[in-house]
Amino acid sequence: MMLKEALSAADCVALQLASDGDRYAELGRKLRSTSFSTALTIARGSSDHACAYAAYLIMARLGRVVASLPMSLVTLNKSPLITRDTLAISISQSGQSPDVVEPIKYFRDGGATTIALVNDIDSPLAHAAEWSIPLRAGKEQSVAATKSFITSLVAGARLVAAWQNDPELLAGLEALPDSLRAAAKEDWSPALEVLAPARNIMVVGRGISFPVALEASLKFKETSALQAEAFSGAEIKHGPMALIEEGYPLVIFATRGPTQASLLQLATEMRGRGARVLLAAPADVADRDLTLPVAATPDLDPIVAIQAFYVMAAQLSAARGMDPDAPRHLSKVTKTN
């Protein structure tokens, strides 16, 4: 089911792109006409990784600093947070978790601009936010989110494109369904030989590719019970380097953009230290181990990168004798306070 749902992502994205265009445009005009002193994201799990991607785009393209809110400040500490001139963005598949819903209510009640990009448009989160827009991923049966994560990334990019009113990004989004279908056909089977017997792994990205590393790390844990840690390529030498030994597996997502050169250099250095590097990079990188698909613009590359990864992740789970549709101790909706 995980694989089937992952492969349906292109159709879900096509549906999303054909829907709610006027709503995004209206929201874009609202954001351009509003002054924000604070911008926050509010999410858990895969949705938090999608928020990290949207936040990176907002900071890189619009120059607004965005922070991830520790929700316990609202739900447990009852901290008197200043809500004036604040933008709060939440992404969720279910829209059910109290620790996501309560902060959105708190900020909306305090006069903030609140946005929910949520798959269940009748959920408590959707009702709590001033602006609620559906992901249009359809019902997701697999515990491990795939199509809802991809549609979350797309919704975040649509939000930024509408806010910035950028024709190039808007055009790149329209090409995504075909890019996703091509990405699903990439052959990442060379990774299985390395990862099927592995006990632990580092997953590395940097900049716009770091949210993909975070998501891949989570999926390794969820679906293959593989101890995985995600690191920025800039952080490896600040302690994690001590873990590197002969044969230690690393997956490096070297998407296009300003951070790519440093990630390619890191791959070379880690190979020199004996690590078993799986370098995921575009076809023009000769020493890649896995081919990263590309989108119409580099800022959208993480969306097609995770599509290629999901296919391999489902295959890896089976190769490790596990069922990706029934991860141990997990359920589809997690409710925390």
Side-chain angles (χ1 to χ4, degrees), residues 154-198:
V154 176
R158 287 184 80 187
L159 170 64
V160 174
W163 186 353
Q164 194 177 20
N165 198 22
D166 181 84
E168 181 184 5
L169 187 56
L170 288 165
L173 284 162
E174 292 301 321
L176 269 177
D178 288 341
S179 299
L180 286 164
R181 292 185 185 100
K185 297 176 183 177
E186 290 289 354
D187 180 14
W188 280 30
S189 58
L192 301 179
E193 180 182 350
V194 176
L195 299 179

Side-chain angles (χ1 to χ4, degrees), residues 191-280:
L192 301 179
E193 180 182 350
V194 176
L195 299 179
R199 298 184 61 185
N200 45 34
I201 182 175
M202 285 187 199
V203 189
V204 182
R206 190 176 182 187
I208 203 166
S209 69
F210 185 54
V212 176
L214 289 167
E215 173 64 9
S217 175
L218 177 61
K219 287 299 183 287
F220 280 134
K221 291 189 278 279
E222 277 185 323
T223 63
S224 287
L226 176 57
Q227 178 62 49
E229 289 189 85
F231 292 101
S232 163
E235 296 291 337
I236 290 290
K237 297 179 182 179
H238 290 254
M241 182 78 80
L243 296 173
I244 301 299
E245 59 187 3
E246 189 69 32
Y248 193 102
L250 277 82
V251 174
I252 299 177
F253 286 93
T255 58
R256 294 179 298 171
T259 63
Q260 186 187 62
S262 66
L263 290 168
L264 298 181
Q265 182 179 352
L266 178 68
T268 299
E269 184 174 347
M270 292 299 99
R271 285 174 175 143
R273 292 176 179 270
R276 181 60 177 91
V277 173
L278 291 168
L279 173 62

Side-chain angles (χ1 to χ4, degrees), residues 27-109:
L27 177 55
R29 290 190 292 271
K30 163 73 173 179
L31 295 173
R32 287 194 297 275
S33 65
T34 305
S35 177
F36 301 109
S37 61
T38 303
L40 301 168
T41 60
I42 301 170
R44 292 281 189 211
S46 290
S47 295
D48 191 40
H49 305 155
C51 277
Y53 170 70
Y56 195 91
L57 287 180
I58 291 169
M59 288 187 278
R61 286 176 160 266
L62 292 153
R64 310 295 182 93
V65 176
V66 185
S68 176
L69 177 73
M71 282 91 86
S72 60
L73 288 172
V74 174
T75 61
L76 300 179
N77 287 42
K78 308 299 180 184
S79 303
L81 301 179
I82 297 172
T83 58
R84 185 179 60 255
D85 301 326
T86 295
L87 171 65
I89 301 170
S90 183
I91 297 178
S92 176
Q93 192 283 128
S94 71
Q96 299 286 337
S97 187
D99 65 346
V100 175
V101 176
E102 187 175 335
I104 286 291
K105 286 182 177 178
Y106 176 88
F107 281 99
R108 184 176 183 181
D109 290 345

Side-chain angles (χ1 to χ4, degrees), residues 101-127:
V101 176
E102 187 175 335
I104 286 291
K105 286 182 177 178
Y106 176 88
F107 281 99
R108 184 176 183 181
D109 290 345
T113 299
T114 52
I115 301 170
L117 305 174
V118 59
N119 202 35
D120 184 353
I121 201 62
D122 291 322
S123 64
L125 177 63
H127 292 300

